[in-house]
Amino acid sequence: MRRLRRKFPRFSELDAMACNVEHHVHTKWTDGKPTVAEALAVARDRGLRSIAITEHVRHEGSDWFHAFAVEVRAVGRSVDPMQVLVGCEAKALDTAGGLDVSEAILDQCDIVLGSVHRWPASGGGLVNFAELPQEDFAELETSYALGLLKNPDIDVLAHPGGMYQRRFGKLPDPLMRRLVEAAHASGIAIEISTSYLQDVPAFIDLVREIDPYVSIGSDAHNVDAIGT
């Protein structure tokens, strides 16, 4: 049986309790530094209400995911009443919403993040970021993110415009607006991730205006970042 899409607050519904969450964390199961137990202990000590461990996955080569999910649920029982969610971060494969994840993994998740990290080149392999003009980079990343927002399997568009912002600075306002408006139309939450956003006040003003569903996550890869 397929899981139900996770419920998120609209931006206008955020209050102290709704903000007291961390829904984007990586551990040693993929490219993070803490163990699951270390990450959950820190989240508990910082008084978080909810945490999601959202490991990077691929359609092939993620046979470890079941063992990961079992561990998260087992360790999560030791930090009750903090809510602990099993999640994944899956990458966009194309501009049509293709997602690099298996049905078996999706079925084990409480929360699914869709993200843009790299994209295939027409002749095979991956596009070389260094060869893309800045404007083309922005448009291409936006088109992949818009594709993800058509995929009903994801709950959250993670770090919108993040690859562009890490390289060039703030994503052009018209493109970020397109993403937030598309998230609002799709009912998929858009992530507030200050580790990627280059102009947090402008983004907050935009989501306040459009009022999409929102998810809060730091993309933490170490314990210091959890809850930031």
Side-chain angles (χ1 to χ4, degrees), residues 115-133:
S115 64
V116 181
H117 277 284
R118 298 298 298 266
W119 40 83
S122 57
L126 297 171
V127 169
N128 183 351
F129 285 168
E131 295 177 354
L132 280 177

mmCIF file of all heavy atoms in Angstrom, residues 115-133:
data_model
loop_
_atom_site.group_PDB
_atom_site.id
_atom_site.type_symbol
_atom_site.label_atom_id
_atom_site.label_comp_id
_atom_site.label_asym_id
_atom_site.label_seq_id
_atom_site.Cartn_x
_atom_site.Cartn_y
_atom_site.Cartn_z
ATOM 1 N N SER A 115 14.885 16.691 -5.030
ATOM 2 C CA SER A 115 15.887 17.749 -5.136
ATOM 3 C C SER A 115 16.551 17.727 -6.502
ATOM 4 O O SER A 115 16.535 16.715 -7.209
ATOM 5 C CB SER A 115 16.957 17.600 -4.052
ATOM 6 O OG SER A 115 17.683 16.401 -4.233
ATOM 7 N N VAL A 116 17.112 18.863 -6.863
ATOM 8 C CA VAL A 116 17.916 18.989 -8.082
ATOM 9 C C VAL A 116 19.367 19.102 -7.660
ATOM 10 O O VAL A 116 19.736 20.017 -6.915
ATOM 11 C CB VAL A 116 17.497 20.224 -8.904
ATOM 12 C CG1 VAL A 116 18.339 20.310 -10.178
ATOM 13 C CG2 VAL A 116 16.007 20.179 -9.225
ATOM 14 N N HIS A 117 20.187 18.164 -8.133
ATOM 15 C CA HIS A 117 21.620 18.206 -7.845
ATOM 16 C C HIS A 117 22.443 18.217 -9.128
ATOM 17 O O HIS A 117 23.262 19.099 -9.344
ATOM 18 C CB HIS A 117 22.030 17.026 -6.967
ATOM 19 C CG HIS A 117 21.790 17.243 -5.512
ATOM 20 N ND1 HIS A 117 22.601 18.033 -4.732
ATOM 21 C CD2 HIS A 117 20.814 16.794 -4.688
ATOM 22 C CE1 HIS A 117 22.144 18.057 -3.492
ATOM 23 N NE2 HIS A 117 21.058 17.318 -3.437
ATOM 24 N N ARG A 118 22.256 17.225 -9.952
ATOM 25 C CA ARG A 118 22.916 17.163 -11.266
ATOM 26 C C ARG A 118 21.869 16.751 -12.282
ATOM 27 O O ARG A 118 20.796 16.270 -11.938
ATOM 28 C CB ARG A 118 24.058 16.136 -11.239
ATOM 29 C CG ARG A 118 25.169 16.455 -10.274
ATOM 30 C CD ARG A 118 25.876 17.752 -10.596
ATOM 31 N NE ARG A 118 26.531 17.749 -11.871
ATOM 32 C CZ ARG A 118 27.820 17.434 -12.068
ATOM 33 N NH1 ARG A 118 28.562 17.088 -11.032
ATOM 34 N NH2 ARG A 118 28.366 17.496 -13.265
ATOM 35 N N TRP A 119 22.182 16.946 -13.570
ATOM 36 C CA TRP A 119 21.236 16.503 -14.589
ATOM 37 C C TRP A 119 21.976 15.862 -15.753
ATOM 38 O O TRP A 119 23.119 16.212 -16.067
ATOM 39 C CB TRP A 119 20.350 17.645 -15.075
ATOM 40 C CG TRP A 119 21.039 18.956 -15.248
ATOM 41 C CD1 TRP A 119 21.747 19.371 -16.308
ATOM 42 C CD2 TRP A 119 21.076 20.038 -14.294
ATOM 43 N NE1 TRP A 119 22.219 20.641 -16.100
ATOM 44 C CE2 TRP A 119 21.817 21.063 -14.883
ATOM 45 C CE3 TRP A 119 20.520 20.219 -13.027
ATOM 46 C CZ2 TRP A 119 22.050 22.267 -14.236
ATOM 47 C CZ3 TRP A 119 20.754 21.419 -12.388
ATOM 48 C CH2 TRP A 119 21.495 22.432 -12.984
ATOM 49 N N PRO A 120 21.323 14.888 -16.384
ATOM 50 C CA PRO A 120 21.974 14.140 -17.467
ATOM 51 C C PRO A 120 22.277 15.013 -18.670
ATOM 52 O O PRO A 120 21.520 15.917 -19.019
ATOM 53 C CB PRO A 120 20.950 13.055 -17.818
ATOM 54 C CG PRO A 120 20.050 12.968 -16.633
ATOM 55 C CD PRO A 120 19.992 14.349 -16.066
ATOM 56 N N ALA A 121 23.401 14.720 -19.330
ATOM 57 C CA ALA A 121 23.746 15.371 -20.594
ATOM 58 C C ALA A 121 23.107 14.604 -21.741
ATOM 59 O O ALA A 121 22.854 13.401 -21.635
ATOM 60 C CB ALA A 121 25.256 15.422 -20.762
ATOM 61 N N SER A 122 22.832 15.297 -22.824
ATOM 62 C CA SER A 122 22.141 14.669 -23.955
ATOM 63 C C SER A 122 22.939 13.509 -24.548
ATOM 64 O O SER A 122 22.377 12.552 -25.047
ATOM 65 C CB SER A 122 21.856 15.712 -25.044
ATOM 66 O OG SER A 122 23.061 16.332 -25.464
ATOM 67 N N GLY A 123 24.254 13.575 -24.489
ATOM 68 C CA GLY A 123 25.077 12.511 -25.054
ATOM 69 C C GLY A 123 25.493 11.460 -24.047
ATOM 70 O O GLY A 123 26.348 10.618 -24.334
ATOM 71 N N GLY A 124 24.902 11.486 -22.861
ATOM 72 C CA GLY A 124 25.275 10.562 -21.801
ATOM 73 C C GLY A 124 26.094 11.249 -20.731
ATOM 74 O O GLY A 124 26.703 12.307 -20.961
ATOM 75 N N GLY A 125 26.150 10.674 -19.569
ATOM 76 C CA GLY A 125 26.866 11.282 -18.458
ATOM 77 C C GLY A 125 26.078 12.441 -17.883
ATOM 78 O O GLY A 125 24.851 12.521 -18.015
ATOM 79 N N LEU A 126 26.790 13.362 -17.236
ATOM 80 C CA LEU A 126 26.161 14.497 -16.574
ATOM 81 C C LEU A 126 26.621 15.807 -17.190
ATOM 82 O O LEU A 126 27.738 15.904 -17.710
ATOM 83 C CB LEU A 126 26.499 14.497 -15.078
ATOM 84 C CG LEU A 126 25.999 13.297 -14.273
ATOM 85 C CD1 LEU A 126 26.601 13.323 -12.869
ATOM 86 C CD2 LEU A 126 24.484 13.285 -14.197
ATOM 87 N N VAL A 127 25.773 16.798 -17.131
ATOM 88 C CA VAL A 127 26.131 18.135 -17.609
ATOM 89 C C VAL A 127 27.268 18.680 -16.755
ATOM 90 O O VAL A 127 27.259 18.575 -15.522
ATOM 91 C CB VAL A 127 24.912 19.069 -17.539
ATOM 92 C CG1 VAL A 127 25.323 20.516 -17.783
ATOM 93 C CG2 VAL A 127 23.846 18.640 -18.528
ATOM 94 N N ASN A 128 28.263 19.241 -17.407
ATOM 95 C CA ASN A 128 29.368 19.892 -16.705
ATOM 96 C C ASN A 128 28.930 21.304 -16.329
ATOM 97 O O ASN A 128 28.751 22.167 -17.182
ATOM 98 C CB ASN A 128 30.598 19.936 -17.611
ATOM 99 C CG ASN A 128 31.807 20.540 -16.913
ATOM 100 O OD1 ASN A 128 31.712 21.089 -15.813
ATOM 101 N ND2 ASN A 128 32.954 20.453 -17.548
ATOM 102 N N PHE A 129 28.749 21.526 -15.027
ATOM 103 C CA PHE A 129 28.271 22.824 -14.569
ATOM 104 C C PHE A 129 29.157 23.961 -15.077
ATOM 105 O O PHE A 129 28.677 25.053 -15.389
ATOM 106 C CB PHE A 129 28.245 22.863 -13.041
ATOM 107 C CG PHE A 129 27.108 22.094 -12.415
ATOM 108 C CD1 PHE A 129 27.096 21.840 -11.058
ATOM 109 C CD2 PHE A 129 26.045 21.645 -13.175
ATOM 110 C CE1 PHE A 129 26.049 21.148 -10.466
ATOM 111 C CE2 PHE A 129 24.989 20.948 -12.603
ATOM 112 C CZ PHE A 129 24.992 20.701 -11.242
ATOM 113 N N ALA A 130 30.462 23.727 -15.149
ATOM 114 C CA ALA A 130 31.394 24.785 -15.523
ATOM 115 C C ALA A 130 31.181 25.247 -16.957
ATOM 116 O O ALA A 130 31.596 26.356 -17.326
ATOM 117 C CB ALA A 130 32.830 24.314 -15.344
ATOM 118 N N GLU A 131 30.534 24.419 -17.775
ATOM 119 C CA GLU A 131 30.334 24.766 -19.175
ATOM 120 C C GLU A 131 29.035 25.513 -19.429
ATOM 121 O O GLU A 131 28.781 25.968 -20.546
ATOM 122 C CB GLU A 131 30.357 23.491 -20.027
ATOM 123 C CG GLU A 131 31.710 22.780 -20.027
ATOM 124 C CD GLU A 131 31.684 21.486 -20.809
ATOM 125 O OE1 GLU A 131 30.573 21.085 -21.247
ATOM 126 O OE2 GLU A 131 32.754 20.874 -20.981
ATOM 127 N N LEU A 132 28.207 25.654 -18.392
ATOM 128 C CA LEU A 132 26.913 26.299 -18.567
ATOM 129 C C LEU A 132 26.989 27.790 -18.275
ATOM 130 O O LEU A 132 27.466 28.185 -17.206
ATOM 131 C CB LEU A 132 25.873 25.676 -17.634
ATOM 132 C CG LEU A 132 25.238 24.356 -18.038
ATOM 133 C CD1 LEU A 132 24.294 23.895 -16.937
ATOM 134 C CD2 LEU A 132 24.484 24.468 -19.345
ATOM 135 N N PRO A 133 26.520 28.636 -19.183
ATOM 136 C CA PRO A 133 26.388 30.055 -18.846
ATOM 137 C C PRO A 133 25.439 30.222 -17.662
ATOM 138 O O PRO A 133 24.533 29.406 -17.448
ATOM 139 C CB PRO A 133 25.799 30.661 -20.124
ATOM 140 C CG PRO A 133 26.120 29.683 -21.214
ATOM 141 C CD PRO A 133 26.115 28.339 -20.558
#
